[in-house]
mmCIF file with all atom_site columns, all heavy atoms in Angstrom:
data_model
loop_
_atom_site.group_PDB
_atom_site.id
_atom_site.type_symbol
_atom_site.label_atom_id
_atom_site.label_alt_id
_atom_site.label_comp_id
_atom_site.label_asym_id
_atom_site.label_entity_id
_atom_site.label_seq_id
_atom_site.pdbx_PDB_ins_code
_atom_site.Cartn_x
_atom_site.Cartn_y
_atom_site.Cartn_z
_atom_site.occupancy
_atom_site.B_iso_or_equiv
_atom_site.pdbx_formal_charge
_atom_site.auth_seq_id
_atom_site.auth_comp_id
_atom_site.auth_asym_id
_atom_site.auth_atom_id
_atom_site.pdbx_PDB_model_num
ATOM 1  N N   . GLY A 1 41 ? 121.088 107.344 95.591  1.00 75.00 ? 218 GLY A N   1
ATOM 2  C CA  . GLY A 1 41 ? 120.884 107.952 96.806  1.00 75.00 ? 218 GLY A CA  1
ATOM 3  C C   . GLY A 1 41 ? 119.552 108.742 96.825  1.00 75.00 ? 218 GLY A C   1
ATOM 4  O O   . GLY A 1 41 ? 119.059 109.226 97.871  1.00 75.00 ? 218 GLY A O   1
ATOM 5  N N   . GLY A 1 42 ? 118.914 108.959 95.662  1.00 72.00 ? 219 GLY A N   1
ATOM 6  C CA  . GLY A 1 42 ? 117.684 109.816 95.566  1.00 72.00 ? 219 GLY A CA  1
ATOM 7  C C   . GLY A 1 42 ? 116.545 109.161 96.246  1.00 72.00 ? 219 GLY A C   1
ATOM 8  O O   . GLY A 1 42 ? 115.623 109.840 96.789  1.00 72.00 ? 219 GLY A O   1
ATOM 9  N N   . GLY A 1 43 ? 116.426 107.850 96.087  1.00 71.00 ? 220 GLY A N   1
ATOM 10 C CA  . GLY A 1 43 ? 115.357 107.111 96.703  1.00 71.00 ? 220 GLY A CA  1
ATOM 11 C C   . GLY A 1 43 ? 115.178 107.403 98.233  1.00 71.00 ? 220 GLY A C   1
ATOM 12 O O   . GLY A 1 43 ? 114.148 107.517 98.753  1.00 71.00 ? 220 GLY A O   1
ATOM 13 N N   . ARG A 1 44 ? 116.413 107.270 98.842  1.00 72.00 ? 221 ARG A N   1
ATOM 14 C CA  . ARG A 1 44 ? 116.414 107.567 100.336 1.00 72.00 ? 221 ARG A CA  1
ATOM 15 C C   . ARG A 1 44 ? 115.868 108.898 100.662 1.00 72.00 ? 221 ARG A C   1
ATOM 16 O O   . ARG A 1 44 ? 115.080 109.144 101.590 1.00 72.00 ? 221 ARG A O   1
ATOM 17 C CB  . ARG A 1 44 ? 117.812 107.293 100.824 1.00 72.00 ? 221 ARG A CB  1
ATOM 18 C CG  . ARG A 1 44 ? 117.935 107.454 102.327 1.00 72.00 ? 221 ARG A CG  1
ATOM 19 C CD  . ARG A 1 44 ? 119.294 107.213 102.792 1.00 72.00 ? 221 ARG A CD  1
ATOM 20 N NE  . ARG A 1 44 ? 120.232 107.979 102.058 1.00 72.00 ? 221 ARG A NE  1
ATOM 21 C CZ  . ARG A 1 44 ? 121.349 107.482 101.508 1.00 72.00 ? 221 ARG A CZ  1
ATOM 22 N NH1 . ARG A 1 44 ? 121.723 106.258 101.751 1.00 72.00 ? 221 ARG A NH1 1
ATOM 23 N NH2 . ARG A 1 44 ? 122.101 108.268 100.843 1.00 72.00 ? 221 ARG A NH2 1
ATOM 24 N N   . LEU A 1 45 ? 116.295 109.923 99.877  1.00 70.00 ? 222 LEU A N   1
ATOM 25 C CA  . LEU A 1 45 ? 115.834 111.271 100.132 1.00 70.00 ? 222 LEU A CA  1
ATOM 26 C C   . LEU A 1 45 ? 114.378 111.434 99.881  1.00 70.00 ? 222 LEU A C   1
ATOM 27 O O   . LEU A 1 45 ? 113.587 112.123 100.609 1.00 70.00 ? 222 LEU A O   1
ATOM 28 C CB  . LEU A 1 45 ? 116.607 112.289 99.258  1.00 70.00 ? 222 LEU A CB  1
ATOM 29 C CG  . LEU A 1 45 ? 118.068 112.500 99.512  1.00 70.00 ? 222 LEU A CG  1
ATOM 30 C CD1 . LEU A 1 45 ? 118.739 113.361 98.443  1.00 70.00 ? 222 LEU A CD1 1
ATOM 31 C CD2 . LEU A 1 45 ? 118.292 113.064 100.941 1.00 70.00 ? 222 LEU A CD2 1
ATOM 32 N N   . PHE A 1 46 ? 113.850 110.804 98.896  1.00 67.00 ? 223 PHE A N   1
ATOM 33 C CA  . PHE A 1 46 ? 112.424 110.852 98.571  1.00 67.00 ? 223 PHE A CA  1
ATOM 34 C C   . PHE A 1 46 ? 111.667 110.232 99.699  1.00 67.00 ? 223 PHE A C   1
ATOM 35 O O   . PHE A 1 46 ? 110.625 110.904 100.171 1.00 67.00 ? 223 PHE A O   1
ATOM 36 C CB  . PHE A 1 46 ? 112.190 110.142 97.232  1.00 67.00 ? 223 PHE A CB  1
ATOM 37 C CG  . PHE A 1 46 ? 110.734 110.181 96.822  1.00 67.00 ? 223 PHE A CG  1
ATOM 38 C CD1 . PHE A 1 46 ? 110.192 111.353 96.367  1.00 67.00 ? 223 PHE A CD1 1
ATOM 39 C CD2 . PHE A 1 46 ? 109.999 109.028 96.783  1.00 67.00 ? 223 PHE A CD2 1
ATOM 40 C CE1 . PHE A 1 46 ? 108.820 111.396 95.929  1.00 67.00 ? 223 PHE A CE1 1
ATOM 41 C CE2 . PHE A 1 46 ? 108.660 109.001 96.360  1.00 67.00 ? 223 PHE A CE2 1
ATOM 42 C CZ  . PHE A 1 46 ? 108.134 110.174 95.968  1.00 67.00 ? 223 PHE A CZ  1
ATOM 43 N N   . VAL A 1 47 ? 111.974 109.042 100.115 1.00 69.00 ? 224 VAL A N   1
ATOM 44 C CA  . VAL A 1 47 ? 111.230 108.333 101.228 1.00 69.00 ? 224 VAL A CA  1
ATOM 45 C C   . VAL A 1 47 ? 111.268 109.165 102.499 1.00 69.00 ? 224 VAL A C   1
ATOM 46 O O   . VAL A 1 47 ? 110.293 109.408 103.147 1.00 69.00 ? 224 VAL A O   1
ATOM 47 C CB  . VAL A 1 47 ? 111.772 106.967 101.474 1.00 69.00 ? 224 VAL A CB  1
ATOM 48 C CG1 . VAL A 1 47 ? 111.212 106.370 102.710 1.00 69.00 ? 224 VAL A CG1 1
ATOM 49 C CG2 . VAL A 1 47 ? 111.415 106.113 100.277 1.00 69.00 ? 224 VAL A CG2 1
ATOM 50 N N   . ASN A 1 48 ? 112.465 109.777 102.770 1.00 68.00 ? 225 ASN A N   1
ATOM 51 C CA  . ASN A 1 48 ? 112.605 110.532 104.050 1.00 68.00 ? 225 ASN A CA  1
ATOM 52 C C   . ASN A 1 48 ? 111.809 111.794 103.963 1.00 68.00 ? 225 ASN A C   1
ATOM 53 O O   . ASN A 1 48 ? 111.416 112.374 104.946 1.00 68.00 ? 225 ASN A O   1
ATOM 54 C CB  . ASN A 1 48 ? 114.106 110.842 104.283 1.00 68.00 ? 225 ASN A CB  1
ATOM 55 C CG  . ASN A 1 48 ? 114.798 109.597 104.772 1.00 68.00 ? 225 ASN A CG  1
ATOM 56 O OD1 . ASN A 1 48 ? 114.231 108.667 105.226 1.00 68.00 ? 225 ASN A OD1 1
ATOM 57 N ND2 . ASN A 1 48 ? 116.095 109.615 104.639 1.00 68.00 ? 225 ASN A ND2 1
ATOM 58 N N   . SER A 1 49 ? 111.665 112.367 102.798 1.00 66.00 ? 226 SER A N   1
ATOM 59 C CA  . SER A 1 49 ? 110.854 113.600 102.597 1.00 66.00 ? 226 SER A CA  1
ATOM 60 C C   . SER A 1 49 ? 109.334 113.401 102.852 1.00 66.00 ? 226 SER A C   1
ATOM 61 O O   . SER A 1 49 ? 108.615 114.318 103.280 1.00 66.00 ? 226 SER A O   1
ATOM 62 C CB  . SER A 1 49 ? 111.015 114.207 101.193 1.00 66.00 ? 226 SER A CB  1
ATOM 63 O OG  . SER A 1 49 ? 110.351 113.581 100.228 1.00 66.00 ? 226 SER A OG  1
ATOM 64 N N   . LEU A 1 50 ? 108.903 112.142 102.625 1.00 62.00 ? 227 LEU A N   1
ATOM 65 C CA  . LEU A 1 50 ? 107.551 111.826 102.791 1.00 62.00 ? 227 LEU A CA  1
ATOM 66 C C   . LEU A 1 50 ? 107.175 111.500 104.315 1.00 62.00 ? 227 LEU A C   1
ATOM 67 O O   . LEU A 1 50 ? 106.071 111.731 104.654 1.00 62.00 ? 227 LEU A O   1
ATOM 68 C CB  . LEU A 1 50 ? 107.112 110.679 101.909 1.00 62.00 ? 227 LEU A CB  1
ATOM 69 C CG  . LEU A 1 50 ? 107.126 110.810 100.466 1.00 62.00 ? 227 LEU A CG  1
ATOM 70 C CD1 . LEU A 1 50 ? 106.856 109.537 99.716  1.00 62.00 ? 227 LEU A CD1 1
ATOM 71 C CD2 . LEU A 1 50 ? 106.173 111.969 100.062 1.00 62.00 ? 227 LEU A CD2 1
ATOM 72 N N   . SER A 1 51 ? 108.079 110.978 104.977 1.00 61.00 ? 228 SER A N   1
ATOM 73 C CA  . SER A 1 51 ? 107.825 110.564 106.352 1.00 61.00 ? 228 SER A CA  1
ATOM 74 C C   . SER A 1 51 ? 109.013 110.821 107.264 1.00 61.00 ? 228 SER A C   1
ATOM 75 O O   . SER A 1 51 ? 110.195 110.374 106.811 1.00 61.00 ? 228 SER A O   1
ATOM 76 C CB  . SER A 1 51 ? 107.399 109.150 106.324 1.00 61.00 ? 228 SER A CB  1
ATOM 77 O OG  . SER A 1 51 ? 107.343 108.625 107.659 1.00 61.00 ? 228 SER A OG  1
ATOM 78 N N   . PRO A 1 52 ? 108.836 111.334 108.443 1.00 59.00 ? 229 PRO A N   1
ATOM 79 C CA  . PRO A 1 52 ? 110.004 111.589 109.277 1.00 59.00 ? 229 PRO A CA  1
ATOM 80 C C   . PRO A 1 52 ? 110.668 110.301 109.671 1.00 59.00 ? 229 PRO A C   1
ATOM 81 O O   . PRO A 1 52 ? 111.862 110.163 109.892 1.00 59.00 ? 229 PRO A O   1
ATOM 82 C CB  . PRO A 1 52 ? 109.401 112.169 110.498 1.00 59.00 ? 229 PRO A CB  1
ATOM 83 C CG  . PRO A 1 52 ? 108.038 112.490 110.227 1.00 59.00 ? 229 PRO A CG  1
ATOM 84 C CD  . PRO A 1 52 ? 107.587 111.841 108.994 1.00 59.00 ? 229 PRO A CD  1
#
Side-chain angles (χ1 to χ4, degrees):
R221 181 179 50 227
L222 292 172
F223 182 70
V224 169
N225 289 338
S226 73
L227 292 175
S228 171

